[in-house]
Amino acid sequence: MFGGSVGCFRDRNWRSDLEVDLYIILVYDIDEKRVGKVCKYMKRFLPRVQNSVFEGDLSEAKLERMKAGLMNIIQPPKDAVLLWVSRDSKWIDRQVLGAEKLPVSNFF
């Protein structure tokens, strides 16, 4: 039931918004029936860096829109989405052990 294994590794060109306010790390554990839909939806907002993990910059408005859309897709009794929100990515010490599956080139 771990939600990242349904083929959604296709990368898109991510462009930063002019009003970037927040650095987001999002992790999900979604029932297999909805994992593909959540992954496709999340690709509209953040780059995917691992199975079930997205991270990057979003404005507060886009963050709220993303969360509202996720609530329309997920089923809270069965699904979980975790968010870490920071005002600045420089306060995050990102460390990778092992292979970085989907490196994000525009970090720090």
Side-chain angles (χ1 to χ4, degrees):
M1 183 161 128
F2 191 74
S5 59
V6 177
C8 108
F9 265 108
R10 291 185 201 131
D11 227 5
R12 294 173 55 179
N13 294 327
W14 300 103
R15 56 174 212 222
S16 61
D17 202 339
L18 295 176
E19 300 178 19
V20 171
D21 296 332
L22 305 169
Y23 182 74
I24 310 297
I25 300 172
L26 180 138
V27 178
Y28 62 80
D29 185 2
I30 304 293
D31 187 87
E32 290 178 26
K33 297 173 188 170
R34 289 173 297 285
V35 71
K37 189 171 186 178
V38 168
C39 184
K40 184 176 179 180
Y41 177 78
M42 283 306 305
K43 283 181 157 189
R44 294 171 37 194
F45 293 93
L46 294 168
R48 185 169 182 224
V49 295
Q50 290 278 325
N51 291 340
S52 306
V53 181
F54 291 80
E55 64 179 296
D57 297 317
L58 285 180
S59 68
E60 288 187 46
K62 282 190 175 183
L63 174 61
E64 292 307 314
R65 196 172 1 172
M66 180 189 76
K67 290 185 338 186
L70 281 170
M71 290 305 296
N72 289 328
I73 299 170
I74 70 170
Q75 293 182 7
K78 298 179 182 179
D79 302 329
V81 177
L82 304 176
L83 289 160
W84 286 264
V85 180
S86 175
R87 290 277 171 203
D88 195 328
S89 63
K90 72 181 180 182
W91 301 112
I92 306 287
D93 182 21
R94 185 174 192 267
Q95 301 177 3
V96 178
L97 302 176
E100 189 167 10
K101 291 189 177 197
L102 297 169
V104 176
S105 60
N106 59 348
F107 265 72
F108 311 110

